[in-house]
Amino acid sequence: MKAMIIKELRLIGKDRRSFIFLLLMPIIFIVMFGSIFNQESGSSITLRAIDQDQSAASQALITQMKGIMDVKQLPADHVDDQLDKIKQGQFSAMLVIPSGFEQSMKSGKAANIKLYQDPAAQTETAPIQAILGSISTQYREQKLTGMLMANGDTKEQAAAALASPIHIENVSASSDHLNMIDQVVPGMTVMFVFFIMITMARRFFEEKKTGLLSRIRTTRIKPLHYLIGMWFPFVLTVIFQCIILFAFGHFVYDLKLGDIAALSAVVLSLSIAGTGIGLGLSFLVPGEGAAMVITQIISMGGAMLGGLWVPSYLLPQTVQTIGHFLPQYWAQHSLLDIIAHGAHLADIWSAALILLAFGLAGLAIALIRLPGFLRSAAN
């Protein structure tokens, strides 16, 4: 069995197609998805502003807005040009402070400002409206405070009178560093782990064609020893694949790996699951071509249903339910718990056991199908 393991490791090392599918392709996908989605989740809101009043009051308003969002001031005579750009969809909103803004405030009248916005971009303009509404509320409270103090109230009494009867306490329940790279690197790693099944099926059918399987029947090698001797090198290959891909994510995209012991347990369980399913598949399909088609269905379909491309909670409820029956879901779920939520071994052991169950089920199928596969090789 030791000689068989060494032989398979050498053959895998010489297989360029396996290198492309197991390492090069996932790295390309990680770079592609990372370039598209790895944007700063807390990027500031941008608002273009034109100050036609050029007064201390208008500048104070702009300064206050700059403390909350990114404000780009434009010349006062560029209103028409900027409106054309909004209509063309180049940006979504523009604030104009008209002449007479400060004079209206001093006289006690409502000082109007104009927010021009693209009605088709409500998702982008809603935060701007909320910020402006909050600033307007602050101005109103300052005005009421002044009126109350003018009527003889102290500053503390005025503040108590204007205090809201409802207090909202913000409680953070999400990861400190969750971003799309936390989703992409594990997702692409899990997806491409299952492409090992193509290599496995190809190896078994090559041994069948060359007559090696026929000769094995004449030896004293037990079926279980033969399967383990063929299986173990692929388990090591997948572990190596995962190490390279997670290292790439860590050093290139600063991926936080979390508890290494827990991560190692999931990687080991995932490697057994992927290669175990590949083992069973190799003895079920009629040929290498069928194995390639089924592998792509398992890999791509599992990626879609198991939440490897987008977080599972964004998928329809039916898809989420189906995902619970797939090894990809349990692998991705446990990896995200470790990387994004600080999970440890005690938190992911159940998912690791489920992955091991998938692998052992594949081994059982292979053991059952091996005698018939050997007979067909002899024929």
Side-chain angles (χ1 to χ4, degrees), residues 21-324:
F21 275 111
L22 301 180
L23 286 178
L24 186 59
M25 288 296 291
I27 288 175
I28 291 174
F29 271 67
I30 290 172
V31 172
M32 288 173 56
F33 277 77
S35 300
I36 295 172
F37 296 113
N38 189 32
Q39 304 295 329
E40 291 294 331
S41 58
S43 57
S44 60
I45 300 169
T46 300
L47 175 64
R48 288 165 174 77
I50 294 179
D51 182 8
Q52 294 179 330
D53 193 46
Q54 295 295 320
S55 61
S58 62
Q59 287 300 311
L61 174 61
I62 291 176
T63 300
Q64 188 172 0
M65 290 190 298
K66 285 183 177 179
I68 306 173
M69 54 184 165
D70 180 19
V71 179
K72 296 182 178 180
Q73 284 190 256
L74 302 171
D77 57 350
H78 282 201
V79 175
D80 293 336
D81 293 341
Q82 299 304 312
L83 284 176
D84 289 338
K85 291 182 178 180
I86 291 179
K87 294 176 182 178
Q88 294 169 7
Q90 296 186 25
F91 57 90
S92 58
M94 175 182 66
L95 183 74
V96 176
I97 305 175
S99 300
F101 174 80
E102 184 178 60
Q103 184 177 357
S104 297
M105 291 191 65
K106 288 181 177 179
S107 63
K109 299 179 182 179
N112 293 324
I113 57 176
K114 297 179 180 180
L115 178 65
Y116 295 92
Q117 53 187 303
D118 183 356
Q122 294 184 4
T123 302
E124 297 178 27
T125 58
I128 297 174
Q129 292 176 338
I131 291 172
L132 293 177
S134 176
I135 293 174
S136 176
T137 300
Q138 293 178 25
Y139 273 86
R140 179 177 61 84
E141 290 178 354
Q142 290 174 5
K143 180 178 179 180
L144 290 173
T145 300
M147 293 174 63
L148 291 172
M149 292 178 66
N151 290 333
D153 289 353
T154 64
K155 187 174 182 180
E156 290 74 16
Q157 289 174 329
L162 296 175
S164 173
I166 299 175
H167 173 67
I168 300 174
E169 181 181 358
N170 294 317
V171 180
S172 177
S174 61
S175 167
D176 293 333
H177 59 267
L178 180 62
N179 54 51
M180 277 305 298
I181 286 299
D182 294 337
Q183 170 74 27
V184 168
V185 175
M188 294 302 105
T189 300
V190 173
M191 183 175 78
F192 280 95
V193 157
F194 287 87
F195 277 94
I196 193 69
M197 295 188 293
I198 295 177
T199 305
M200 295 180 72
R202 188 167 62 244
R203 285 291 307 121
F204 282 109
F205 282 103
E206 284 177 357
E207 293 216 337
K208 184 178 180 180
K209 291 176 184 178
T210 57
L212 286 174
L213 284 176
S214 300
R215 291 193 289 273
I216 285 175
R217 294 190 68 194
T218 63
T219 66
R220 295 183 179 180
I221 297 178
K222 296 180 180 180
L224 180 60
H225 291 170
Y226 169 73
L227 287 178
I228 293 176
M230 294 291 291
W231 185 14
F232 188 66
F234 291 106
V235 173
L236 293 180
T237 300
V238 171
I239 292 174
F240 176 74
Q241 174 194 16
C242 292
I243 291 173
I244 293 297
L245 296 179
F246 279 116
F248 179 82
H250 176 68
F251 290 109
V252 177
Y253 292 103
D254 196 28
L255 176 72
K256 309 301 181 185
L257 298 179
D259 186 342
I260 298 300
L263 185 66
S264 301
V266 174
V267 167
L268 177 60
S269 302
L270 173 62
S271 65
I272 292 174
T275 55
I277 295 172
L279 203 62
L281 178 68
S282 300
F283 295 106
L284 287 173
V285 296
E288 185 179 335
M292 182 172 293
V293 172
I294 295 175
T295 296
Q296 290 177 351
I297 293 173
I298 293 174
S299 299
M300 305 302 285
M304 179 179 65
L305 300 174
L308 304 188
W309 294 339
V310 295
S312 294
Y313 61 81
L314 297 178
L315 300 173
Q317 186 60 48
T318 303
V319 176
Q320 294 184 42
T321 302
I322 295 173
H324 284 73

